[in-house]
Amino acid sequence: ETGVTQSPTHLIKTRGQQVTLRCSSQSGHNTVSWYQQALGQGPQFIFQYYREEENGRGNFPPRFSGLQFPNYSSELNVNALELDDSALYLCASRNSGKSYEQYFGPGTRLTVT
Amino acid sequence: GIQVEQSPPDLILQEGANSTLRCNFSDSVNNLQWFHQNPWGQLINLFYIPSGTKQNGRLSATTVATERYSLLYISSSQTTDSGVYFCAVDRDDKIIFGKGTRLHILP
């Protein structure tokens, strides 16, 4: 059974640019959630996707958007990057039909300069 | 929205000691999980425990949903237990994490 994977591992961008982060869900999982974790803080919920539609969102502006594909993999897109977007971005997956238990990927560390 | 509070924020213990970490939440939830975040940022599942008690080796957890709290017990601490422990709750398809307890186990 393959776990949750994320790419890239690290990324450096300049303020104002756009970035796309990718996540492959664990085999058999149909729901993907994204989180932002600033240094020294707990993860903050960005949004959740189920059956290719967003079905839950935290307090993040519209420049944070996402996609879920038919194979349940997902992308997080962030436009007009700001310095405060520098963080660890975590993806988690679960099987909504079976359990609420989530499994996390290793994360993508984004630095905005 | 729902609030999640973890205590204590920091805990320093000698190897071999026992510890209790607490998670309080302000409203009813569908789900509660405990995680350990390692130094590389990976969140490792410890317990999925919306209610009741579970044990896994030296770790155990209890959630009293009616009183809106959960406890994580670590017995006979080892240096590898060091790191940040998070609880996270799920309500209405929104997942809320606490700020974590940073645990330091000294050899």
Side-chain angles (χ1 to χ4, degrees):
Chain A
E1 185 179 83
T2 307
V4 180
T5 60
Q6 293 186 241
S7 62
T9 307
H10 295 85
L11 201 52
I12 300 174
K13 288 285 190 178
T14 303
R15 190 171 48 184
Q17 286 187 316
Q18 178 265 344
V19 69
T20 297
L21 309 182
R22 294 180 174 82
C23 171
S24 290
S25 59
Q26 184 165 315
S27 175
H29 287 186
N30 55 17
T31 301
V32 175
S33 303
W34 285 92
Y35 299 82
Q36 179 195 66
Q37 187 177 19
L39 204 59
Q41 303 294 316
Q44 299 290 312
F45 175 66
I46 303 175
F47 43 56
Q48 176 175 273
Y49 277 81
Y50 172 64
R51 290 186 175 177
E52 302 176 50
E53 294 209 359
E54 184 183 295
N55 74 338
R57 190 175 182 96
N59 295 325
F60 280 81
R63 62 189 184 84
F64 285 79
S65 64
L67 284 173
Q68 186 183 30
F69 300 99
N71 67 354
Y72 305 124
S73 65
S74 177
E75 287 182 354
L76 164 65
N77 298 291
V78 187
N79 293 324
L81 283 166
E82 301 176 359
L83 297 179
D84 284 349
D85 295 333
S86 295
L88 179 67
Y89 287 85
L90 295 161
C91 165
S93 73
R94 63 184 172 95
N95 184 334
S96 289
K98 274 181 80 170
S99 166
Y100 283 98
E101 186 169 10
Q102 294 193 93
Y103 294 84
F104 280 81
T108 293
R109 192 164 296 280
L110 173 65
T111 302
V112 182
T113 61
Chain B
I2 193 166
Q3 305 294 317
V4 179
E5 293 184 1
Q6 290 188 243
S7 60
D10 292 280
L11 191 55
I12 302 173
L13 296 172
Q14 207 69 40
E15 197 169 26
N18 302 330
S19 58
T20 301
L21 283 56
R22 187 176 180 103
C23 173
N24 291 336
F25 43 98
S26 60
D27 206 341
S28 60
V29 297
N30 299 321
N31 170 36
L32 188 143
Q33 282 188 256
W34 283 97
F35 297 93
H36 177 210
Q37 190 165 40
N38 68 20
W40 299 271
Q42 176 78 55
L43 281 166
I44 299 163
N45 289 39
L46 297 178
F47 294 101
Y48 167 67
I49 187 167
S51 63
T53 297
K54 290 186 178 180
Q55 178 150 11
N56 184 3
R58 295 182 297 104
L59 275 60
S60 64
T62 295
T63 297
V64 183
T66 52
E67 297 187 23
R68 298 178 187 162
Y69 73 89
S70 183
L71 301 173
L72 176 68
Y73 305 96
I74 305 173
S75 64
S76 304
S77 299
Q78 300 175 358
T79 55
T80 51
D81 294 332
S82 295
V84 185
Y85 290 79
F86 289 103
C87 73
V89 302
D90 186 336
R91 179 185 165 94
D92 299 332
D93 287 320
K94 291 188 180 179
I95 299 92
I96 310 297
F97 275 75
K99 293 186 176 180
T101 291
R102 186 171 296 276
L103 179 63
H104 303 267
I105 304 299
L106 304 175

